[in-house]
Amino acid sequence: MAQLLTSHRLLPTAHTMQRLSFIRRLDPGYLVVLGICLLALWPFVGRASLPQETDAELHIFRLAELAYLVQGGELYPRWAPNFYHGYGYPIFNYYAPLSYYLGLPVALLPGLDAVDGVKFVFVLGLLAAAFGSYGLVRDQWGRPAGYIAAAAYLYAPYIQYIDPIARGVLAESFSLGLFPLALWAMARLRQQQTTDRWVIASLLLAAVILSHNLMGLLLFGLVTAWVIWTGVMTWWAGDPPPTLTRHGWLLAALLVGWLLAAFFWLPVLLERNAVNLNTLIGAGDNYDFRTHFLSWRELLRATRWLDWGATEPRFAFNLGVGQWLFGGLGLFMLIRRRLRHAAQVAFFALGLAGLLFLMLPISTFIWEAVPVLPYFQFPWRLLGAAALMLAVLAGVGVAALAEQLPWPDWGQQGVVAAAVLLLITLGLPLTQPAPWPDFGPLSPLRMSLIEHSGRWLGTTSTADYVPATVDMIPERNGYVVAGFSTGEPLDRVNRLTLPEGAVVTGQERGPLYFQYQVYTPEPFPLRLFLFAFPGWTVRVDGAVVATELGRPEGFIVVPLTAGEHEVTVRFGDTPARRLAWGISGLALLLLAVGGWRLAANKAALPIHLSATLLDKGLFAAALLLTGITIFVFAPLSWLHHHSADYRAIPARHQVWADFDGQIALIGYETNRRTARPGDTLEVTLYWQAQRPQSENYQVFVHLLAPDGFLSAQSDKLNPGDFPTHRWPLDKYVLDDHTLALPLGLAPGVYTVMTGLWLAPDGGRLPVRDAAGEPVGEYFVLYELVVRE
C-alpha cells in the first residue's frame, strides 16, 4: 500500500503534464531578453517619480485629467474640462489615446497616481521594444540573432534615452515599442493563419494607430510596406499568387486593424477644421522641419556622457556606434549573399536607407512636396524606426558571421555574447540620467497655476487643438478657477453680464454635464466660460436650442427669454463620432468572423531548444553587468559628468564673463575658427545664473567685421530657449546659435562676441571685471579668420 501511495504521488496528473508541456514550450530566450532589459529599465524602476520640464509632465496631467473623467462616468471623453483655465478644450478628441488608457488602471489603484501610470507605460514600451525585436528576428534567423537585435534596438539612444527620458514623449516612445511587436505578429500570421495569430495581429495594428498621431501613421505605413514587399517577393520567387490563405490574411489584418481604430482617427479627419492645427507647422522656428535635419556626423557620433550639471544635458541624435558597426556587417553580408531569407533582410536595408535619406537636408524637397510630412516637425523623429531597421541588420549580420566562423560552438556563441554585451556597454552612459526630484502633488489647481505661469496651456505649448472659433485666447479668470482651490465645481457662468435681478444657480451633474436653474426678469444671453465646440448640446427646458458664439473668446452663449428656465449643457458624440464608433464596431465583427473562419486551423506548437551555454552565460553576464553598473559605476560617478562651481566640463573653451553679477558665461564651443563666405558658423554658449532672476533676458551673438560693421548675427528671445527667470542656480544652460556668413563677406579677421539685453528698453547687461568694474556691454569670444 505504501508503495502504491508513493507511486501515486509520483505520477503527474493530466493538468500537471499540460503545465509542464507549456513550460517546456516557453522560449528560455525570453528570460535572457529580460536580463538584457534591466539596465534600460533601471532609471524608471530604480527611482521614484519622473522628470519635470519634459513632455512627461504633460502626459502626467493628461492622465490625471482622464482619470478624473473616467471616475465621473465618462469612459471615452473627448473634452478636457479643467484645461485652458477651466474653459476646456478637445485634446482627447485629437490625441492618440492608447498610452493613457494603458496607464489608467495603474493610476486608479489605491496609493498610486498618474505619475505611476505614466511610468508603467514607459516601462511597458521598453519591454515591448526588446521582446518584439527579439521575437521578430528569432523566428526568421534564430535565437542568437534575436538577442543582438533586441540589444541593438533597446540600447539605440533614441529608444533608450532620447524619447522616454530626455524628451519624455510617452505616446511616441510607446509606439516605437509596439512597432516590432506588430511586425512580429504579422510575420507569425504569414507563417500560420490561426485564430489567435489573426486576432493578435489585427489588435496590434490597431494599437499602432492608437499609440501616436504621427508615428502611428508612419509605423503603420512601414508595416504595410513590409506586407507588400513580402507579397511581391513571394510572387517574384515563382510561388503561386498570394491568396486569402496567406498574404490575403495579412492585407485583411491591415484593413481590420485600421478600421478598429476608426473611433479615433475618423473624427480627427472629419473634424480637423474644428480646431487650430496651423501652429503644429512652424516657419523658421522650433517647429519648422527645416531646422531639424541631421548630418552624417551627428548620425555616426558616439554617445555622449550626460552632464548632471546642465539643465538639459547634451545628447546626440545618433543611432549608436555598436549599432552602426554590427548593422554595417549585416549589410555587408547581405551584399555578399551570405544570409538566409535575404529578401526579408533587404526590406530592412532599404527601409533604413529611406529613413536615413529623409533625415538629411537633401530630402527637403520631399518634405515640402508631401503635405503630411511638415506635421512631423522634426526629421530626427525617424530615428526610432531607423533604429529597428539597423537592429535587424545587426542581429542577422553578427549571427551569420558567427555561424560561418570555423570555430567550435562555444566560440561562435562567444561572438554573439560579446556583441550583445558591447551594445549594452556602449549604452551605459545613457542609463545614468541626472536625478530628478519628487514630482509633487497632482491637482487641477497645480495645472491651472502652471498654465497661469505661461509654460503651456492645456498641456500644449503652441495653441494647437484650440477650437477654431476662438479668435483670442482669454486670460485666466480668477473667479472661474476658484473652484480648483476650494475643491468645488467651477462656476462657468459669466455673472458680470447677468441683468439686474437675474439669478443663476448651477449644479455639476458630471464632468461634462452642467445644469443651471435660471430666473431672469428680462430676455438676455446667458454667457458661459466654456469654449464652443461640436458635441456640446444645450437644452432649455428640455428642448435643444441653437447657441450663439461669444466673440472673440469663442464661448458658448445661450439666448434666454424672461422667466424661469432649466438649462443643461452636455458634451456628447457628433454624427462623425457615431459613424466612427459604428465602423469600429463593424471591424470587431469582421475580427470575430475572421477568427471563426480560422478556428479549424491549429497552430503548430513551437519547439524551443533547452537553454544553451549562450543563454545561460549571456543571462549571467547581463545580470553581472547590471549589478556592477548599479552598485559600483553609478555610486562612483564613473559614467557621467557633474559640472559644478561655474565650470562646464563638456565645454571645449572654459571662460568667465560676469554679466553684472546676474548671469555668467562659463564656456563656449564653435565649429570653426576659419571660414569662407557662405559657410555656417555654429556657436554654443554655456550660461549660469549667479542669483535668482526676476527678468527674462535676451541674448545675441554678433560677428563684427574689422571695421566694426555687423556682418552676421543670431538673436534669441530666451537663451537656450529657457526663460532666465526660471534658471536654477546650480546648473548651467546650453545656448546654441547659428550664423550664416554672407556670400560677399570680405576676407579678414572678424570678431565673434556675445551679450545679454532686455527687449523692453534695449539696454544691455554690462560685463564686469574681477573688481566689479564695468568693462563693456559684450564679451569677445574669439576671432574668426575669413578666407577667400
Side-chain angles (χ1 to χ4, degrees), residues 425-439:
T425 301
L426 291 173
L428 288 182
L430 299 183
T431 67
Q432 306 297 309
W436 47 71
D438 181 71
F439 190 82

Side-chain angles (χ1 to χ4, degrees), residues 191-212:
Q191 292 169 350
Q192 290 182 286
Q193 294 76 52
T194 62
T195 297
D196 58 340
R197 295 188 178 192
W198 155 257
V199 172
I200 291 172
S202 300
L203 291 178
L204 279 172
L205 288 169
V208 167
I209 297 174
L210 296 171
S211 63
H212 188 267

Side-chain angles (χ1 to χ4, degrees), residues 115-137:
V115 175
D116 303 291
V118 168
K119 180 181 288 191
F120 168 76
V121 179
F122 274 127
V123 170
L124 191 63
L126 291 171
L127 289 171
F131 281 89
S133 53
Y134 168 73
L136 172 66
V137 174

Side-chain angles (χ1 to χ4, degrees), residues 426-614:
L426 291 173
L428 288 182
L430 299 183
T431 67
Q432 306 297 309
W436 47 71
D438 181 71
F439 190 82
L442 273 174
S443 67
L445 175 61
R446 180 182 174 190
M447 176 66 193
S448 178
L449 291 174
I450 292 175
E451 288 185 326
H452 187 51
S453 72
R455 286 177 57 193
W456 67 68
L457 280 173
T459 69
T460 49
S461 58
T462 56
D464 35 318
Y465 308 123
V466 174
T469 50
V470 177
D471 301 323
M472 180 191 73
I473 296 176
E475 297 291 333
R476 184 175 189 257
N477 188 312
Y479 181 82
V480 175
V481 299
F484 290 149
S485 300
T486 63
E488 298 175 351
L490 303 189
D491 187 352
R492 293 184 169 90
V493 175
N494 188 340
R495 298 189 178 276
L496 294 178
T497 63
L498 297 181
E500 186 177 354
V503 178
V504 179
T505 59
Q507 179 183 5
E508 190 173 285
R509 302 284 298 275
L512 303 178
Y513 184 14
F514 315 118
Q515 186 179 64
Y516 302 98
Q517 302 296 329
V518 181
Y519 167 75
T520 174
E522 60 184 80
F524 85 104
L526 175 63
R527 299 180 181 273
L528 302 177
F529 289 115
L530 191 66
F531 286 145
F533 186 73
W536 284 116
T537 300
V538 177
R539 287 181 168 84
V540 176
D541 300 327
V544 176
V545 298
T547 60
E548 299 173 356
L549 188 63
R551 296 284 190 178
E553 300 91 349
F555 289 143
I556 294 175
V557 178
V558 185
L560 295 176
T561 59
E564 295 184 359
H565 302 284
E566 180 184 82
V567 179
T568 60
V569 183
R570 191 168 192 175
F571 193 84
D573 282 339
T574 60
R577 296 167 203 164
R578 286 190 287 270
L579 173 63
W581 283 116
I583 292 174
S584 292
L586 176 63
L588 278 175
L589 179 61
L590 293 175
L591 183 68
V593 170
W596 172 74
R597 287 200 57 182
L598 295 173
N601 296 353
K602 300 299 180 182
L605 296 179
I607 300 175
H608 296 296
L609 300 176
S610 57
T612 64
L613 178 63
L614 171 64

